[in-house]
């Protein structure tokens, strides 16, 4: 996950409430506009903790079950999206079908993808910020919480900004932020938040995907509460991270006990 550069973002301008897509991928309710700031990787530089080699961190011992689950999750994190792999192609097609059921996708490289909030017509160029797991996260969200997924995709809740965050690229950023927040690329967790999460992961191997769904919905909740527009995205992500850390440090027995879990709906 080292290739996390990015030179542009896509902002979505709200023209009416909801995406009235009909039978065509062209929409009159939103237009996609290119900008000059970075969303992937560098776009999160003020959100994720910056570490120096001289920093000292405590480490937390893991149970064998926690260590095994962490290693399996790290293996997922290490998988880069590869458009030549049939499994990856099928996952991308499945995401489209979940997002826009009944609407035919013309190809894995298509202008249609911009309607989901990708930066261009080829989503694979955006996965460098989060790898294949970021696609898996989006697909898990679509399949397990379809109402919340559609609400966020179509910006159906709340008083929306004129210039909205792009749904899909925001999702990749959330994967990237969670990996950093939970310190998942370390051999052992070095924060209480990371150690707490691994206890949940040992009991539920979908814990990372579930936390992703919670975080995405929480981010949108913060977005609305802050009356944010696209230039505020990093501040919203920072507030989302801080709120999530506070909730994970409460006395909870599973991720479903997090206060922000109640924001989700199936």
């Amino acid at each position: 996950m080292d290739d996390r550069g990015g030179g542009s973002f896509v902002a979505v301008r709200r023209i009416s409430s909801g995406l009235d897509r009909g039978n065509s991928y062209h929409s009159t309710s939103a237009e996609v506009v290119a900008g000059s700031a970075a969303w992937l990787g560098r776009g999160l530089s003020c959100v994720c903790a910056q570490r120096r080699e001289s920093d000292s961190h405590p480490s937390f011992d893991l149970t064998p079950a926690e260590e095994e689950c962490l290693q399996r999750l790290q293996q997922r994190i290490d998988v880069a999206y590869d458009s030549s792999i049939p499994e990856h192609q099928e996952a991308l097609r499945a995401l489209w079908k979940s997002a826009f059921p009944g609407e035919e996708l013309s190809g894995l490289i298509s202008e249609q993808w911009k309607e989901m909030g990708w930066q261009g017509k080829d989503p694979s160029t955006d996965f460098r910020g989060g790898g294949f797991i970021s696609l898996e996260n989006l697909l898990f969200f679509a399949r397990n919480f379809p109402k919340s997924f559609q609400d966020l995709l179509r910006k159906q809740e709340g008083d929306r900004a004129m210039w909205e965050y792009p749904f899909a690229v925001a999702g990749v950023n959330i994967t990237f932020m969670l990996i950093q927040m939970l310190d998942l690329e370390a051999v052992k967790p070095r924060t209480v938040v990371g150690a707490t999460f691994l206890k949940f992961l040992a009991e539920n191997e979908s814990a990372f995907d579930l936390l992703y769904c919670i975080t995405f919905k929480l981010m949108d909740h913060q977005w609305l509460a802050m009356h944010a527009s696209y230039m505020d995205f990093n501040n919203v992500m920072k507030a989302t991270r801080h709120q999530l850390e506070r909730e994970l440090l409460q006395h909870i027995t599973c991720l479903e006990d997090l206060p922000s879990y109640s924001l989700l709906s199936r």
Side-chain angles (χ1 to χ4, degrees), residues 1 4 68-82 87-88 127 130-141 144 175 179 184-185 197 201 204-213:
M1 296 180 61
R4 295 192 179 108
E68 183 179 351
C69 288
L70 174 60
Q71 289 173 354
R72 282 200 293 265
L73 181 54
Q74 288 173 335
Q75 289 171 357
R76 288 180 64 195
I77 291 170
D78 287 341
V79 176
Y81 180 85
D82 186 340
E87 179 190 357
H88 293 195
F127 286 122
F132 182 58
I133 193 173
S134 60
L135 173 54
E136 292 180 312
N137 289 157
L138 280 166
L139 196 51
F140 181 93
F141 191 13
N144 289 273
T175 298
I179 291 170
L184 292 177
E185 293 176 302
F197 169 75
L201 184 65
N204 177 6
E205 284 216 58
S206 297
F208 184 78
D209 302 272
L210 177 57
L211 186 61
Y212 171 89
C213 299

Side-chain angles (χ1 to χ4, degrees), residues 12-134:
V12 178
R13 184 183 180 189
R14 301 300 304 161
I15 298 177
S16 65
S17 59
L19 282 171
D20 184 13
R21 301 178 56 82
N23 296 319
S24 170
Y25 73 84
H26 296 291
S27 171
T28 59
S29 62
E31 61 179 279
V32 180
V33 182
S36 59
W39 279 79
L40 297 176
R42 285 185 303 205
L44 284 179
S45 60
C46 72
V47 176
C48 305
Q50 304 297 307
R51 293 197 296 267
R52 299 183 300 273
E53 293 299 322
S54 60
D55 286 348
S56 60
H57 293 273
S59 63
F60 297 81
D61 291 332
L62 303 177
T63 66
E66 290 170 353
E67 185 173 356
E68 183 179 351
C69 288
L70 174 60
Q71 289 173 354
R72 282 200 293 265
L73 181 54
Q74 288 173 335
Q75 289 171 357
R76 288 180 64 195
I77 291 170
D78 287 341
V79 176
Y81 180 85
D82 186 340
S83 59
S84 68
I85 297 177
E87 179 190 357
H88 293 195
Q89 296 173 8
E90 288 307 309
L92 193 55
R93 289 191 183 96
L95 178 63
W96 177 267
K97 290 179 182 178
S98 295
F100 306 118
E103 182 177 336
E104 185 177 354
L105 176 66
S106 63
L108 294 181
I109 298 178
S110 168
E111 293 291 333
Q112 287 172 275
W113 288 109
K114 294 181 181 179
E115 294 293 328
M116 196 185 291
W118 299 105
Q119 295 189 96
K121 62 183 181 180
D122 183 3
S124 67
T125 61
D126 289 333
F127 286 122
R128 63 187 176 206
F132 182 58
I133 193 173
S134 60

Side-chain angles (χ1 to χ4, degrees), residues 157-193:
E157 293 184 342
D159 184 14
R160 312 305 308 197
M162 176 65 73
W163 296 94
E164 280 285 330
Y165 64 84
F167 173 79
V169 176
V172 176
N173 273 281
I174 288 170
T175 298
F176 182 79
M177 183 268 281
L178 285 175
I179 291 170
Q180 287 202 331
M181 184 188 85
L182 300 172
D183 202 17
L184 292 177
E185 293 176 302
V187 175
K188 292 182 179 181
R190 295 175 289 186
T191 65
V192 176
V193 168

